[in-house]
Amino acid sequence: MIKDNIIQEYTGAYISLESEPGRVNNLGVLALRARAALYHASPLFAENSEIDSKELWHQAALRSFECINECRKRNMRLASNYAKLFDISNWNDSEATKEIIFARRLAASNSFETYNFPIGMNNAKGGNCPTENLVSAYETLNGLSIDDPSNDQYDPQNPYANRDSRLAATVAVNGEKFPDALPNAVLETWYGGANSRSVAYGTPTGYYLKKYVDRMAVISGNSQASNKHTWILFRLGQVYLDYAEAMLNYTGSGYLTADDLTMTAADAINTVRTRAGQPNLPTGLSFTEFEKRYENERFIELAFEGHRMFDVRRWKKAQQYFENIKVMEITKNADESFTYTPVLNPSYITKRTWPGDKGYFWPFPQSEILKAGKLKQNTGWQ
């Protein structure tokens, strides 16, 4: 098998440290196999499989567990600082490289920053704007949802205080200085502000993207600066979550082990939560309750890493997660304070609709069907 024949590590090889994250070793192979097994076991694909669904989840858990154990043997672990995983220097940061299994390196450029920096900056395009759906998914420091009526740590009019640290590493919010070259003192996403939807191409959601963005990049004038970027394709934190999903579905519980799988789904998720400074999941959750917490954890931990579209489709939960968009409406008051109001499906956001089951498998181009001869179009696209 390729996992046994491919090089294990490049230490001592005649290459630069800068190149190593972009070179596939056998851990990259194990991580890819684990993800493929997880996808195979998922409802979208398992329904057409000849293998029993429970065994598919078993195999997915085994593949992720093998990858985790191989990482442990090489003294790999989760980086202590989540934000540094996505910094432009992640390729040679001693903490980040403990977690990165395989990443893609790109030549120096500021195009990502130009696309995603807030409107109101010269040359900026506004780009990917996180929704309130995502922001609402981050718990407070006590591990409670912001929707929990007993949560005394959440203040709807100071909504970003006391929140999971991953929020500040991922989303730029009203009132903070981001990026460093922002012309005004702080980000103004309140209606009428310099970076709000009242400006052409300003954020319609109240937020801008921070994750992966080089906050010190200069995108205008004669002093424009570019840096290399390293995009993570596989990392240990993601494999822990892959394992948790497979183990939950294999054992039917978040708290059970098996003869060949000695880590529970809760153990795996709590490893990821501990790095973020969040408390462990509560014990005694039902399967449905645990699944909901798992899906939320995956949503926030892997935000903007290229997983969400594929996760929701393989779960066959598009109508639950994709159709309703929440934004944060922010009003600046006469006394310089702000009023924060979450709004569902506002008129200025294009209404999302899911086309039903045919949306889970996209259509083949007609040109490919004509070339292949016997290739059949996916159901619903004929």
Side-chain angles (χ1 to χ4, degrees):
M1 296 179 67
I2 189 172
K3 74 178 182 68
D4 299 318
N5 295 321
I6 195 170
I7 192 169
Q8 290 198 9
E9 58 179 326
Y10 291 89
T11 303
Y14 189 68
I15 59 173
S16 68
L17 175 63
E18 189 171 354
S19 303
E20 290 198 40
R23 292 176 180 264
V24 181
N25 59 19
N26 73 327
L27 289 180
V29 175
L30 292 176
L32 175 60
R33 184 173 69 163
R35 187 180 298 178
L38 181 73
Y39 278 33
H40 188 191
S42 301
L44 182 60
F45 303 103
E47 62 188 9
N48 295 316
S49 176
E50 296 179 357
I51 304 174
D52 176 70
S53 174
K54 184 174 181 178
E55 181 55 26
L56 288 175
W57 287 118
H58 181 210
Q59 291 301 315
L62 286 172
R63 301 289 77 81
S64 292
F65 199 47
E66 179 181 6
C67 183
I68 291 168
N69 285 332
E70 285 299 316
C71 287
R72 287 170 170 171
K73 288 177 183 178
R74 296 183 207 181
N75 296 316
M76 294 181 67
R77 54 174 170 74
L78 299 195
S80 59
N81 188 322
Y82 177 82
K84 281 197 170 186
L85 277 170
F86 313 103
D87 189 81
I88 57 169
S89 61
N90 58 359
W91 62 272
N92 71 345
D93 183 273
S94 59
E95 276 297 305
T97 53
K98 288 288 187 182
E99 181 168 347
I100 298 173
I101 295 173
F102 178 61
R104 181 182 177 221
R105 297 278 289 152
L106 289 185
S109 169
N110 64 16
S111 60
F112 186 74
E113 286 69 33
T114 298
Y115 183 74
N116 285 291
F117 271 173
I119 287 297
M121 296 183 66
N122 191 23
N123 288 343
K125 295 180 169 43
N128 295 292
C129 298
T131 63
E132 179 60 31
N133 304 64
L134 173 64
V135 174
S136 293
Y138 292 89
E139 302 166 348
T140 47
L141 296 174
N142 55 14
L144 297 179
S145 162
I146 65 170
D147 298 323
D148 190 324
S150 69
N151 191 352
D152 59 3
Q153 283 194 350
Y154 180 66
D155 179 357
Q157 297 311 315
N158 188 16
Y160 314 119
N162 304 317
R163 301 292 289 276
D164 185 322
S165 61
R166 289 170 289 187
L167 173 58
T170 305
V171 180
V173 305
N174 182 59
E176 72 170 301
K177 178 68 172 177
F178 180 86
D180 286 8
L182 189 73
N184 41 309
V186 294
L187 199 59
E188 298 178 356
T189 60
W190 45 273
Y191 190 78
N195 318 109
S196 71
R197 69 178 179 88
S198 62
V199 180
Y201 304 108
T203 173
T205 66
Y207 303 108
Y208 286 98
L209 178 64
K210 188 186 290 185
K211 196 171 185 178
Y212 271 129
V213 176
D214 177 10
R215 67 179 299 146
M216 294 183 291
V218 179
I219 63 171
S220 62
N222 296 326
S223 58
Q224 286 195 41
S226 297
N227 281 300
K228 296 179 181 178
H229 291 73
T230 303
W231 310 105
I232 299 173
L233 299 179
F234 296 99
R235 62 182 178 91
L236 186 54
Q238 164 248 308
V239 181
Y240 271 109
L241 292 179
D242 290 354
Y243 176 85
E245 180 178 343
M247 196 62 177
L248 171 66
N249 285 280
Y250 173 51
T251 65
S253 168
Y255 312 100
L256 294 178
T257 60
D259 291 341
D260 49 0
L261 297 161
T262 56
M263 180 170 57
T264 67
D267 291 336
I269 292 179
N270 289 336
T271 299
V272 174
R273 289 175 61 83
T274 297
R275 186 258 300 280
Q278 291 301 104
N280 288 347
L281 291 180
T283 59
L285 294 175
S286 68
F287 177 91
T288 300
E289 291 168 335
F290 197 99
E291 182 181 55
K292 181 179 179 181
R293 294 294 294 264
Y294 166 77
E295 291 178 4
N296 194 77
E297 195 70 30
R298 192 173 180 93
F299 187 24
I300 60 177
E301 173 72 19
L302 304 180
F304 294 98
E305 294 183 49
H307 295 273
R308 185 64 173 173
M309 170 61 78
F310 300 99
D311 285 342
V312 172
R313 286 172 58 229
R314 67 185 177 82
W315 294 334
K316 299 188 72 174
K317 294 184 176 182
Q319 289 177 305
Q320 176 181 339
Y321 286 120
F322 284 165
E323 289 197 331
N324 294 305
I325 303 298
K326 283 196 297 184
V327 305
M328 182 63 85
E329 285 275 16
I330 308 171
T331 304
K332 188 173 185 179
N333 304 314
D335 63 357
E336 300 294 311
S337 66
F338 297 100
T339 298
Y340 291 87
T341 308
V343 178
L344 182 66
N345 297 324
S347 59
Y348 51 84
I349 294 284
T350 302
K351 173 63 179 173
R352 269 65 170 173
T353 57
W354 186 253
D357 284 351
K358 75 174 187 177
Y360 291 117
F361 287 110
W362 293 329
F364 293 111
Q366 185 63 28
S367 59
E368 298 302 315
I369 293 177
L370 293 174
K371 289 176 190 176
K374 293 186 178 181
L375 182 64
K376 294 183 179 180
Q377 184 59 273
N378 280 327
T379 302
W381 298 101
Q382 293 88 343

